[in-house]
Amino acid sequence: METEQLSALERQIFDFLGFQWAPILGNFLHIIVVILGLFGTIQYRPRYIVVYTVWTALWVTWNVFIICFYLEVGGLSKDTDLMTFNISVHRSWWREHGPGCVRRVLPPSAHGMMDDYTYVSVTGCIVDFQYLEVIHSAVQILLSLVGFVYACYVISIFMEEEDTCRNK
């Protein structure tokens, strides 16, 4: 669970850099629930671990959605403002700052464009940003599945201990 939390924190940082508000909210909730799950494990509170396992199923679903979003599956488009709740024109931080990307700021054209907007040209990326986002989500899914199996195991151990205490 600790690795899962570190991975979520790393993802949270890059989502903040890209002003991706929907993933920021999801990451924040995930971090809180992982802490709750760790607390439940340390304090022998199976209900907290059950909350963690239910959240893990939701977290996997969210990450599958993100994969579909960035791969544009089912009518989704990575060029929409869905991840920013339609309140800004920001996109993934990786779009301009991926490995090998060369970023050039271009002046806006004078044809009716707002003066405060700048346009960015990105070339030479080793890996396109959508694949980096997909990799992040895939890692989250793998870590969540490991955490889910571990949580189910811990719950079963706690329940066995509780049953043996009742039978004495």
Side-chain angles (χ1 to χ4, degrees), residues 62-127:
W62 169 252
N63 280 287
V64 168
F65 168 76
I66 290 177
I67 289 171
C68 292
F69 178 79
Y70 281 107
L71 294 179
E72 297 184 333
V73 174
L76 295 170
S77 173
K78 65 182 176 287
D79 294 323
T80 64
D81 294 331
L82 184 65
M83 292 296 174
T84 61
F85 294 133
N86 294 324
I87 57 174
S88 72
V89 293
H90 290 96
R91 300 284 188 263
S92 171
W93 184 81
W94 295 108
R95 178 176 239 154
E96 298 175 11
H97 302 92
C101 291
V102 177
R103 183 176 182 259
R104 290 188 183 93
V105 177
L106 305 172
S109 65
H111 302 306
M113 296 294 171
M114 301 175 88
D115 290 334
D116 58 341
Y117 282 95
T118 58
Y119 297 91
V120 176
S121 168
V122 179
T123 58
C125 296
I126 296 170
V127 179

Side-chain angles (χ1 to χ4, degrees), residues 5 26 43 47 91 93 107 116 119 123 140 147 149 153-154 156:
Q5 188 171 13
Q43 295 294 317
R47 287 187 179 138
R91 300 284 188 263
W93 184 81
D116 58 341
Y119 297 91
T123 58
Q140 289 294 315
V149 170
Y153 173 73
V154 169
S156 70

